[in-house]
Amino acid sequence: MGLPEDPDLQPIIFGLFLSLYLVTVLGNLLIILAVSSDPHLHTPMYFFLSFLSLADIGFISTTVPKMIVDIQTHSRAISYVGCLSQMSLFIIFGCTDEMLLTVMAYDRFVAICHPLHYSVIMNPRLCGFLVLVSFGFSLLESQVHNLIALQSIYFKDMDISNFFCDPSQILSLSCSDPLTRDIVMYFVGVIYGLLPLSGTFFSYYKIVSSILQMPSLGSKYKAFSTCGSHLSVVCLFYGTAFGVYLSSDQLSFTRKGVVSSVMYTVVTPMLNPFIYSLSNRDIRSALRRLHGRTV
């Protein structure tokens, strides 16, 4: 129920979200194609970046296509199975995004603080293992939400005050006991929110400390430029996620909350490839070489 009901706004909203979706998918596909086709980018950092782009495509594809279809069909209904599926995929891809950002922060920490041992520590086996662990933790979180939602027997004819099946609202509708709901939300928040964020902060604390100890200004700039793109994406991801948390309560959702959800679920995946392509010389060079081969 999060979309405006004004018929005059429906074509505008349809065109806007369709454009944002296509730009996001195309931008992230270009990042994946550039990384996979350029041998210069076959490094751990860009290996994780390609999976981050893949997760972003899945993240936005979970919500926007269904919303576009709803606008065209003038229907706001979703089945019980469809709602659980959308919620599960949303959690899986969103949590994978978060875990990969933490893994990429660790990768930058090793590259800057332990450059001589970087190739030994960040070997292909460890990189693959970290991606699998990120996906595994995301799958586990989605199953926790599903088990709670499945406990609700009379789960029909419910109104969800957002444009998708928001996990926090599904949890509120499913839990008749507020104490159980709060325990689950705090537990999930600490395990899947606070711990990855703490890992990212710790990595950047070590990175900044190491950069400040470098003797020359050129060395500091070069070291910081290698993690500037990732730091921008981290700030964008957690900034919009924090905005969604502040603007929402359990059952009611204001227009400000819907705007925050759009920023988190649509705008953030769209901006990620632009941040990496505009501020990363290697990605820009790879895209130019890819364009040259295509032409």
Side-chain angles (χ1 to χ4, degrees), residues 26-48:
L26 179 60
N28 283 286
L29 282 177
L30 283 175
I31 294 293
I32 296 173
L33 190 58
V35 171
S36 60
S37 63
D38 196 322
H40 298 90
L41 300 184
H42 292 175
T43 61
M45 181 176 72
Y46 296 110
F47 174 77
F48 296 133

PDB file of all heavy atoms in Angstrom, residues 26-48:
ATOM      1  N   LEU A  26      21.628  -2.624 -16.306  1.00  0.00           N
ATOM      2  CA  LEU A  26      22.642  -2.419 -17.342  1.00  0.00           C
ATOM      3  C   LEU A  26      23.979  -2.016 -16.727  1.00  0.00           C
ATOM      4  O   LEU A  26      25.038  -2.535 -17.124  1.00  0.00           O
ATOM      5  CB  LEU A  26      22.171  -1.347 -18.325  1.00  0.00           C
ATOM      6  CG  LEU A  26      23.138  -1.005 -19.473  1.00  0.00           C
ATOM      7  CD1 LEU A  26      23.406  -2.234 -20.319  1.00  0.00           C
ATOM      8  CD2 LEU A  26      22.582   0.134 -20.323  1.00  0.00           C
ATOM      9  N   GLY A  27      23.969  -1.094 -15.768  1.00  0.00           N
ATOM     10  CA  GLY A  27      25.209  -0.638 -15.142  1.00  0.00           C
ATOM     11  C   GLY A  27      25.942  -1.749 -14.431  1.00  0.00           C
ATOM     12  O   GLY A  27      27.169  -1.899 -14.576  1.00  0.00           O
ATOM     13  N   ASN A  28      25.213  -2.557 -13.677  1.00  0.00           N
ATOM     14  CA  ASN A  28      25.862  -3.649 -12.949  1.00  0.00           C
ATOM     15  C   ASN A  28      26.312  -4.767 -13.880  1.00  0.00           C
ATOM     16  O   ASN A  28      27.343  -5.403 -13.640  1.00  0.00           O
ATOM     17  CB  ASN A  28      24.905  -4.195 -11.882  1.00  0.00           C
ATOM     18  CG  ASN A  28      24.822  -3.301 -10.657  1.00  0.00           C
ATOM     19  OD1 ASN A  28      25.738  -3.245  -9.841  1.00  0.00           O
ATOM     20  ND2 ASN A  28      23.725  -2.579 -10.528  1.00  0.00           N
ATOM     21  N   LEU A  29      25.560  -5.005 -14.945  1.00  0.00           N
ATOM     22  CA  LEU A  29      26.002  -5.996 -15.929  1.00  0.00           C
ATOM     23  C   LEU A  29      27.292  -5.560 -16.621  1.00  0.00           C
ATOM     24  O   LEU A  29      28.166  -6.388 -16.910  1.00  0.00           O
ATOM     25  CB  LEU A  29      24.908  -6.236 -16.973  1.00  0.00           C
ATOM     26  CG  LEU A  29      23.744  -7.130 -16.549  1.00  0.00           C
ATOM     27  CD1 LEU A  29      22.707  -7.217 -17.659  1.00  0.00           C
ATOM     28  CD2 LEU A  29      24.221  -8.534 -16.161  1.00  0.00           C
ATOM     29  N   LEU A  30      27.426  -4.262 -16.882  1.00  0.00           N
ATOM     30  CA  LEU A  30      28.650  -3.753 -17.483  1.00  0.00           C
ATOM     31  C   LEU A  30      29.843  -3.953 -16.554  1.00  0.00           C
ATOM     32  O   LEU A  30      30.947  -4.284 -17.005  1.00  0.00           O
ATOM     33  CB  LEU A  30      28.492  -2.270 -17.830  1.00  0.00           C
ATOM     34  CG  LEU A  30      27.670  -1.952 -19.083  1.00  0.00           C
ATOM     35  CD1 LEU A  30      27.496  -0.450 -19.238  1.00  0.00           C
ATOM     36  CD2 LEU A  30      28.329  -2.548 -20.326  1.00  0.00           C
ATOM     37  N   ILE A  31      29.631  -3.748 -15.255  1.00  0.00           N
ATOM     38  CA  ILE A  31      30.707  -3.979 -14.284  1.00  0.00           C
ATOM     39  C   ILE A  31      31.120  -5.449 -14.299  1.00  0.00           C
ATOM     40  O   ILE A  31      32.322  -5.783 -14.347  1.00  0.00           O
ATOM     41  CB  ILE A  31      30.253  -3.574 -12.869  1.00  0.00           C
ATOM     42  CG1 ILE A  31      30.010  -2.062 -12.779  1.00  0.00           C
ATOM     43  CG2 ILE A  31      31.296  -3.999 -11.830  1.00  0.00           C
ATOM     44  CD1 ILE A  31      31.246  -1.225 -12.912  1.00  0.00           C
ATOM     45  N   ILE A  32      30.141  -6.351 -14.283  1.00  0.00           N
ATOM     46  CA  ILE A  32      30.442  -7.786 -14.302  1.00  0.00           C
ATOM     47  C   ILE A  32      31.168  -8.166 -15.592  1.00  0.00           C
ATOM     48  O   ILE A  32      32.154  -8.918 -15.577  1.00  0.00           O
ATOM     49  CB  ILE A  32      29.145  -8.602 -14.154  1.00  0.00           C
ATOM     50  CG1 ILE A  32      28.510  -8.339 -12.785  1.00  0.00           C
ATOM     51  CG2 ILE A  32      29.414 -10.092 -14.329  1.00  0.00           C
ATOM     52  CD1 ILE A  32      27.137  -8.967 -12.618  1.00  0.00           C
ATOM     53  N   LEU A  33      30.695  -7.639 -16.719  1.00  0.00           N
ATOM     54  CA  LEU A  33      31.307  -7.951 -18.008  1.00  0.00           C
ATOM     55  C   LEU A  33      32.725  -7.408 -18.100  1.00  0.00           C
ATOM     56  O   LEU A  33      33.634  -8.085 -18.608  1.00  0.00           O
ATOM     57  CB  LEU A  33      30.439  -7.382 -19.131  1.00  0.00           C
ATOM     58  CG  LEU A  33      30.794  -7.801 -20.566  1.00  0.00           C
ATOM     59  CD1 LEU A  33      30.743  -9.312 -20.710  1.00  0.00           C
ATOM     60  CD2 LEU A  33      29.859  -7.126 -21.557  1.00  0.00           C
ATOM     61  N   ALA A  34      32.939  -6.186 -17.600  1.00  0.00           N
ATOM     62  CA  ALA A  34      34.274  -5.583 -17.626  1.00  0.00           C
ATOM     63  C   ALA A  34      35.250  -6.380 -16.774  1.00  0.00           C
ATOM     64  O   ALA A  34      36.397  -6.631 -17.180  1.00  0.00           O
ATOM     65  CB  ALA A  34      34.206  -4.132 -17.154  1.00  0.00           C
ATOM     66  N   VAL A  35      34.822  -6.801 -15.590  1.00  0.00           N
ATOM     67  CA  VAL A  35      35.705  -7.555 -14.696  1.00  0.00           C
ATOM     68  C   VAL A  35      36.029  -8.929 -15.271  1.00  0.00           C
ATOM     69  O   VAL A  35      37.180  -9.381 -15.221  1.00  0.00           O
ATOM     70  CB  VAL A  35      35.054  -7.683 -13.302  1.00  0.00           C
ATOM     71  CG1 VAL A  35      35.854  -8.644 -12.418  1.00  0.00           C
ATOM     72  CG2 VAL A  35      34.946  -6.316 -12.626  1.00  0.00           C
ATOM     73  N   SER A  36      35.027  -9.595 -15.824  1.00  0.00           N
ATOM     74  CA  SER A  36      35.245 -10.956 -16.322  1.00  0.00           C
ATOM     75  C   SER A  36      36.059 -10.985 -17.612  1.00  0.00           C
ATOM     76  O   SER A  36      36.759 -11.969 -17.888  1.00  0.00           O
ATOM     77  CB  SER A  36      33.901 -11.647 -16.543  1.00  0.00           C
ATOM     78  OG  SER A  36      33.125 -10.941 -17.491  1.00  0.00           O
ATOM     79  N   SER A  37      35.983  -9.904 -18.416  1.00  0.00           N
ATOM     80  CA  SER A  37      36.646  -9.922 -19.721  1.00  0.00           C
ATOM     81  C   SER A  37      38.038  -9.307 -19.717  1.00  0.00           C
ATOM     82  O   SER A  37      38.785  -9.476 -20.684  1.00  0.00           O
ATOM     83  CB  SER A  37      35.782  -9.178 -20.746  1.00  0.00           C
ATOM     84  OG  SER A  37      35.629  -7.811 -20.391  1.00  0.00           O
ATOM     85  N   ASP A  38      38.402  -8.609 -18.649  1.00  0.00           N
ATOM     86  CA  ASP A  38      39.699  -7.925 -18.603  1.00  0.00           C
ATOM     87  C   ASP A  38      40.639  -8.652 -17.647  1.00  0.00           C
ATOM     88  O   ASP A  38      40.388  -8.691 -16.432  1.00  0.00           O
ATOM     89  CB  ASP A  38      39.510  -6.479 -18.158  1.00  0.00           C
ATOM     90  CG  ASP A  38      40.730  -5.622 -18.462  1.00  0.00           C
ATOM     91  OD1 ASP A  38      41.858  -6.125 -18.314  1.00  0.00           O
ATOM     92  OD2 ASP A  38      40.569  -4.455 -18.845  1.00  0.00           O
ATOM     93  N   PRO A  39      41.739  -9.221 -18.116  1.00  0.00           N
ATOM     94  CA  PRO A  39      42.677  -9.935 -17.227  1.00  0.00           C
ATOM     95  C   PRO A  39      43.282  -9.028 -16.160  1.00  0.00           C
ATOM     96  O   PRO A  39      43.677  -9.528 -15.090  1.00  0.00           O
ATOM     97  CB  PRO A  39      43.752 -10.450 -18.194  1.00  0.00           C
ATOM     98  CG  PRO A  39      43.107 -10.466 -19.539  1.00  0.00           C
ATOM     99  CD  PRO A  39      42.136  -9.328 -19.541  1.00  0.00           C
ATOM    100  N   HIS A  40      43.380  -7.716 -16.432  1.00  0.00           N
ATOM    101  CA  HIS A  40      43.948  -6.804 -15.439  1.00  0.00           C
ATOM    102  C   HIS A  40      43.076  -6.697 -14.180  1.00  0.00           C
ATOM    103  O   HIS A  40      43.552  -6.271 -13.126  1.00  0.00           O
ATOM    104  CB  HIS A  40      44.121  -5.404 -16.050  1.00  0.00           C
ATOM    105  CG  HIS A  40      45.066  -5.353 -17.218  1.00  0.00           C
ATOM    106  ND1 HIS A  40      44.639  -5.544 -18.518  1.00  0.00           N
ATOM    107  CD2 HIS A  40      46.410  -5.174 -17.280  1.00  0.00           C
ATOM    108  CE1 HIS A  40      45.672  -5.452 -19.343  1.00  0.00           C
ATOM    109  NE2 HIS A  40      46.767  -5.237 -18.622  1.00  0.00           N
ATOM    110  N   LEU A  41      41.800  -7.069 -14.306  1.00  0.00           N
ATOM    111  CA  LEU A  41      40.868  -6.948 -13.177  1.00  0.00           C
ATOM    112  C   LEU A  41      40.608  -8.285 -12.490  1.00  0.00           C
ATOM    113  O   LEU A  41      39.702  -8.380 -11.667  1.00  0.00           O
ATOM    114  CB  LEU A  41      39.537  -6.356 -13.659  1.00  0.00           C
ATOM    115  CG  LEU A  41      39.609  -4.966 -14.293  1.00  0.00           C
ATOM    116  CD1 LEU A  41      38.214  -4.463 -14.635  1.00  0.00           C
ATOM    117  CD2 LEU A  41      40.314  -3.973 -13.372  1.00  0.00           C
ATOM    118  N   HIS A  42      41.392  -9.289 -12.812  1.00  0.00           N
ATOM    119  CA  HIS A  42      41.227 -10.585 -12.168  1.00  0.00           C
ATOM    120  C   HIS A  42      41.984 -10.599 -10.837  1.00  0.00           C
ATOM    121  O   HIS A  42      42.962 -11.328 -10.642  1.00  0.00           O
ATOM    122  CB  HIS A  42      41.706 -11.714 -13.089  1.00  0.00           C
ATOM    123  CG  HIS A  42      40.831 -11.894 -14.286  1.00  0.00           C
ATOM    124  ND1 HIS A  42      41.129 -12.782 -15.302  1.00  0.00           N
ATOM    125  CD2 HIS A  42      39.655 -11.303 -14.639  1.00  0.00           C
ATOM    126  CE1 HIS A  42      40.168 -12.728 -16.220  1.00  0.00           C
ATOM    127  NE2 HIS A  42      39.270 -11.837 -15.845  1.00  0.00           N
ATOM    128  N   THR A  43      41.524  -9.753  -9.927  1.00  0.00           N
ATOM    129  CA  THR A  43      42.100  -9.626  -8.589  1.00  0.00           C
ATOM    130  C   THR A  43      40.985  -9.802  -7.565  1.00  0.00           C
ATOM    131  O   THR A  43      39.793  -9.701  -7.912  1.00  0.00           O
ATOM    132  CB  THR A  43      42.754  -8.249  -8.407  1.00  0.00           C
ATOM    133  OG1 THR A  43      41.758  -7.228  -8.552  1.00  0.00           O
ATOM    134  CG2 THR A  43      43.862  -8.034  -9.450  1.00  0.00           C
ATOM    135  N   PRO A  44      41.327 -10.066  -6.306  1.00  0.00           N
ATOM    136  CA  PRO A  44      40.280 -10.269  -5.295  1.00  0.00           C
ATOM    137  C   PRO A  44      39.290  -9.115  -5.188  1.00  0.00           C
ATOM    138  O   PRO A  44      38.081  -9.344  -5.053  1.00  0.00           O
ATOM    139  CB  PRO A  44      41.082 -10.442  -3.996  1.00  0.00           C
ATOM    140  CG  PRO A  44      42.382 -11.015  -4.448  1.00  0.00           C
ATOM    141  CD  PRO A  44      42.672 -10.369  -5.766  1.00  0.00           C
ATOM    142  N   MET A  45      39.776  -7.860  -5.235  1.00  0.00           N
ATOM    143  CA  MET A  45      38.880  -6.718  -5.080  1.00  0.00           C
ATOM    144  C   MET A  45      37.794  -6.709  -6.146  1.00  0.00           C
ATOM    145  O   MET A  45      36.607  -6.532  -5.846  1.00  0.00           O
ATOM    146  CB  MET A  45      39.670  -5.411  -5.133  1.00  0.00           C
ATOM    147  CG  MET A  45      38.801  -4.178  -4.949  1.00  0.00           C
ATOM    148  SD  MET A  45      39.732  -2.637  -4.896  1.00  0.00           S
ATOM    149  CE  MET A  45      40.230  -2.488  -6.617  1.00  0.00           C
ATOM    150  N   TYR A  46      38.177  -6.927  -7.397  1.00  0.00           N
ATOM    151  CA  TYR A  46      37.202  -6.905  -8.480  1.00  0.00           C
ATOM    152  C   TYR A  46      36.405  -8.202  -8.558  1.00  0.00           C
ATOM    153  O   TYR A  46      35.287  -8.212  -9.083  1.00  0.00           O
ATOM    154  CB  TYR A  46      37.908  -6.614  -9.801  1.00  0.00           C
ATOM    155  CG  TYR A  46      38.537  -5.244  -9.809  1.00  0.00           C
ATOM    156  CD1 TYR A  46      39.923  -5.084  -9.785  1.00  0.00           C
ATOM    157  CD2 TYR A  46      37.746  -4.098  -9.779  1.00  0.00           C
ATOM    158  CE1 TYR A  46      40.502  -3.829  -9.765  1.00  0.00           C
ATOM    159  CE2 TYR A  46      38.314  -2.838  -9.756  1.00  0.00           C
ATOM    160  CZ  TYR A  46      39.695  -2.710  -9.748  1.00  0.00           C
ATOM    161  OH  TYR A  46      40.248  -1.455  -9.709  1.00  0.00           O
ATOM    162  N   PHE A  47      36.956  -9.279  -8.030  1.00  0.00           N
ATOM    163  CA  PHE A  47      36.184 -10.522  -7.887  1.00  0.00           C
ATOM    164  C   PHE A  47      34.993 -10.291  -6.958  1.00  0.00           C
ATOM    165  O   PHE A  47      33.856 -10.660  -7.274  1.00  0.00           O
ATOM    166  CB  PHE A  47      37.101 -11.618  -7.340  1.00  0.00           C
ATOM    167  CG  PHE A  47      36.397 -12.908  -7.008  1.00  0.00           C
ATOM    168  CD1 PHE A  47      36.025 -13.789  -8.005  1.00  0.00           C
ATOM    169  CD2 PHE A  47      36.129 -13.229  -5.686  1.00  0.00           C
ATOM    170  CE1 PHE A  47      35.386 -14.983  -7.698  1.00  0.00           C
ATOM    171  CE2 PHE A  47      35.487 -14.416  -5.362  1.00  0.00           C
ATOM    172  CZ  PHE A  47      35.117 -15.289  -6.374  1.00  0.00           C
ATOM    173  N   PHE A  48      35.240  -9.644  -5.827  1.00  0.00           N
ATOM    174  CA  PHE A  48      34.150  -9.325  -4.902  1.00  0.00           C
ATOM    175  C   PHE A  48      33.208  -8.286  -5.501  1.00  0.00           C
ATOM    176  O   PHE A  48      31.992  -8.338  -5.283  1.00  0.00           O
ATOM    177  CB  PHE A  48      34.716  -8.806  -3.580  1.00  0.00           C
ATOM    178  CG  PHE A  48      35.536  -9.815  -2.829  1.00  0.00           C
ATOM    179  CD1 PHE A  48      36.785  -9.475  -2.304  1.00  0.00           C
ATOM    180  CD2 PHE A  48      35.077 -11.107  -2.633  1.00  0.00           C
ATOM    181  CE1 PHE A  48      37.546 -10.400  -1.622  1.00  0.00           C
ATOM    182  CE2 PHE A  48      35.826 -12.043  -1.934  1.00  0.00           C
ATOM    183  CZ  PHE A  48      37.067 -11.683  -1.427  1.00  0.00           C
TER     184      PHE A  48
END
